[in-house]
Amino acid sequence: MGKDGITRRDFLNGTRIAIGATLMAPWSKLLADDVVLPADYYPPAKTGLRGNHNGSWEVMHARVRGQTWPVGAPEEQYDLIVVGGGISGLSAARFYRQRKADARILILDNHDDFGGHAKRNEFPINGQTRIGYGGTESIDTPSAYSEPAKRTLIEIGIDTKKFYEAFDQTLYAKLGLARAIVFDQENFGQQKLVTGYGKRPWEEFARLAPFNEQARKDFVRIQTEQTDYLPGLSREQRYEKLRRISYEAFLREYCKVDPQLLEFWRKWGISFWCVGIDQIPCTLIHDYDGGMPGLDHTLPRYHSRGDEPYIFHFPDGNASLARLLVRALIPAAMPGNTMEDVVTTRADYSQLDRKGSPVRIRLNSTAVNVRHTADNKAVDVTYVNGGKPHTVRTARCIMACYNMAIPYIIPDLPDSQKKGLAYGVKVPLTYTKVLVPNWRPFAELKMDFVYYTKDFYKQVELDYPVTIGKYKRSQTPDEPMILHMCYVHHDTVHKGPELWREGRRRLLATPFSVFESHVKDQLNQALSSAGFDADRDIKAITVNRWSHGYAYEPNLIWEPDYASEAEKPWVIGRQPFGRIAIANSDSAAQADTNAAITQAFRAVQEVAG
Ligand SMILES: Cc1cc2nc3c(=O)[nH]c(=O)nc-3n(C[C@H](O)[C@H](O)[C@H](O)COP(=O)(O)OP(=O)(O)OC[C@H]3O[C@@H](n4cnc5c(N)ncnc54)[C@H](O)[C@@H]3O)c2cc1C
């Protein structure tokens, strides 16, 4: 009996299949009995602490602390075992099946749901279901995807052009909504909500803001000036210089703004890079949010997304993409056949791990040991489910899990490779979803996004307005809405990846009640002047706690330059090891869907031969 009352078949007491020393293809004729989840098993409907939920991380943490489990005689055999059921792992299984149509595949994941960061949150209200994204939200800039990733989207049924219709790009602007700021007491002398950031004339906004006199002048100056702070330098020279200067240093040393403004923008990009502006190079942050004050006339925009808007969003974010991948692998688990119907179809979890199914997804299962057999003709994968170890054998294995955990799972790897894998510290962050019965206070206060200069949650925003298939966006401010709130730990003591290690420690130690009290307090701060009452108006909260969130990206201020591609730690880390290949967005050091799919493609090429 698991924590959630889920009974899983105990292989040790069930029918054990004797497996001879010599493996005969097709291996997976020798499959264990069904491992069927109950019909009412439905994790998207859970609220409370989700993401890296309790029950998902304890086994791996025990492994890191030194615990081991016995490698038993193999209970089942497969052609491919994929460790990690995120977009990369699911894509790897699909690519492999494209190359070997009769391959039998097992996907293991330590969570109670598939998709990795691509998670779906559902909330019932007024006889309808509102759908939210628990992690990865959008297919960002699909035109820049690799060829295998583009092809994947098309083959699983996603036509990105349809989002131009589905996503209402003007809804909030037509209602006159804009960004608002909650200034904090510590830095600004009073807690104050000021609306209309970017909409009101800058002088007017500055007048309303609780800035000191110098900060007020400097704010207007850098929002409106046309100053080139690096005259005489070529475009390349500017780029080279500014990629080594943090935005904080630029504001302080070049724009010479009052220190209060450093606190104003301190956490501006923190939901994206998960560090303060003292760690973000000017070249990066300038591409965020339509450009940053002070930089406009100094640095030409380099990496603009061009004409492609940020609209490629299913109501559950990229969970729909994961669900479409599951549909491609196990059609019975995801009824329907279009990108529209996948949004509202109910996944049948009891179909995920069926005996006889060519592809099986086994949830609640943490891989703790992966090693080649003595004759190197196969790989034994030991995983823990319901507290018990199980060993399964496979001809090939793809590790699509967190790369930093792989050295503990495959102790036989060379030390240099282990070092490369360990380099990419995962970045912790939290997406909290809050169900409210209406969004009238936002409409009345004319805001769709609130930035908090110094508080637990960095922001609250209205949901992306997407209507797709039978799912309709919240049509008017009188209808229910899922608010999105983002929390990233920040302090001024820890720098670089140490900040993320500290953030992870804190995240895992923070109970739901603390998230809840910050949600209530911060929503009251922003909305109570329009009649909002957190105790009355919050109907549900789901905290998607990603202690192992974004893949490490080597673009922040501390990253050294590498002489060649081959010297990059993540490239060293992702090298194939016998019958084992390494995928996941971590292996590209790039936290996005494109990387997750592209790395899966590479890994399959490496193992499929
Ligand atoms: C909050 C958040 C928002 C994001 N937003 C976007 C976005 O808008 N657009 C975008 O493109 N990308 C976004 N990303 C990046 C996202 O990580 C990637 O796009 C992609 O979903 C990663 O997929 P993956 O399969 O590589 O990794 P993951 O999704 O992390 O999947 C790996 C899986 O392996 C499992 N695993 C780990 N260890 C083990 C083990 N020992 N045994 C079994 N299973 C294990 C993990 O638990 C996980 O389920 C976001 C990420 C986060 C956290």
Side-chain angles (χ1 to χ4, degrees), residues 428-432 457 485-488 507 515 543-546:
L429 74 162
T430 298
Y431 276 8
T432 294
Y457 285 102
M485 300 183 79
C486 181
Y487 158 68
V488 180
L507 206 48
F515 290 102
V543 176
N544 297 282
R545 171 190 69 179
W546 296 111

Side-chain angles (χ1 to χ4, degrees), residues 60 83-88 108-111 115-117 135-138 310 318 365-367 400-402 409 429 431 546 549-550 584-585 591-593 596:
M60 197 57 218
V83 176
I87 286 177
S88 197
L108 296 169
D109 198 280
N110 55 330
H111 288 90
H117 296 145
T136 169
E137 51 185 68
S138 297
Y310 192 68
N318 291 337
S365 301
T366 307
C401 57
Y402 307 149
I409 304 173
L429 74 162
Y431 276 8
W546 296 111
Y550 294 146
N584 192 290
S585 51
D592 66 33
T593 313

Side-chain angles (χ1 to χ4, degrees), residues 150-330:
K150 277 185 184 157
R151 188 158 41 83
T152 297
L153 296 191
I154 293 167
E155 287 174 359
I156 63 176
I158 296 178
D159 177 357
T160 51
K161 288 194 297 301
K162 290 187 177 173
F163 288 101
Y164 286 90
E165 272 290 306
F167 192 114
D168 190 334
Q169 292 185 62
T170 57
L171 175 72
Y172 296 145
K174 271 197 280 197
L175 292 171
L177 312 192
R179 185 169 301 193
I181 313 287
V182 173
F183 290 83
D184 68 279
Q185 167 89 33
E186 187 184 325
N187 289 307
F188 300 94
Q190 57 173 298
Q191 189 182 86
K192 185 174 182 191
L193 172 76
V194 182
T195 60
Y197 182 90
K199 187 156 184 265
R200 296 179 193 270
W202 292 117
E203 291 79 2
E204 184 183 324
F205 183 89
R207 245 194 333 273
L208 295 169
F211 290 134
N212 67 45
E213 269 323 300
Q214 189 58 47
R216 184 165 289 129
K217 280 190 202 140
D218 289 345
F219 179 83
V220 175
R221 170 171 63 82
I222 67 162
Q223 292 284 12
T224 55
E225 72 186 356
Q226 304 201 343
T227 306
D228 177 355
Y229 287 99
L230 295 173
L233 295 193
S234 69
R235 191 183 162 103
E236 286 67 32
Q237 287 166 330
R238 283 159 197 262
Y239 185 82
E240 272 313 301
K241 199 169 177 67
L242 289 172
R243 83 186 178 92
R244 290 288 165 213
I245 297 177
S246 74
Y247 186 53
E248 183 195 47
F250 180 77
L251 287 174
R252 196 179 50 237
E253 290 159 25
Y254 289 77
C255 307
K256 301 201 185 313
V257 297
D258 186 272
Q260 217 183 27
L261 292 186
L262 306 181
E263 301 316 316
F264 179 78
W265 278 298
R266 171 84 47 211
K267 292 170 79 176
W268 202 256
I270 203 169
S271 48
F272 205 74
W273 291 288
C274 301
V275 288
I277 54 168
D278 57 320
Q279 312 265 290
I280 308 174
C282 293
T283 42
L284 263 190
I285 201 163
H286 191 37
D287 232 23
Y288 180 64
D289 219 15
M292 292 302 284
L295 281 168
D296 274 349
H297 297 273
T298 306
L299 180 67
R301 301 283 297 285
Y302 261 72
H303 306 288
S304 150
R305 75 175 76 243
D307 291 335
E308 212 161 23
Y310 192 68
I311 55 164
F312 306 102
H313 174 85
F314 287 97
D316 60 5
N318 291 337
S320 275
L321 207 153
R323 285 155 63 86
L324 286 166
L325 285 166
V326 169
R327 176 180 280 170
L329 294 167
I330 311 172

Side-chain angles (χ1 to χ4, degrees), residues 432-436 481-485 519 523 538 540-541:
T432 294
K433 315 309 274 194
V434 184
L435 180 72
V436 289
M481 166 68 66
I482 300 175
L483 304 177
H484 173 74
M485 300 183 79
V519 165
L523 289 184
I538 293 175
I541 300 175

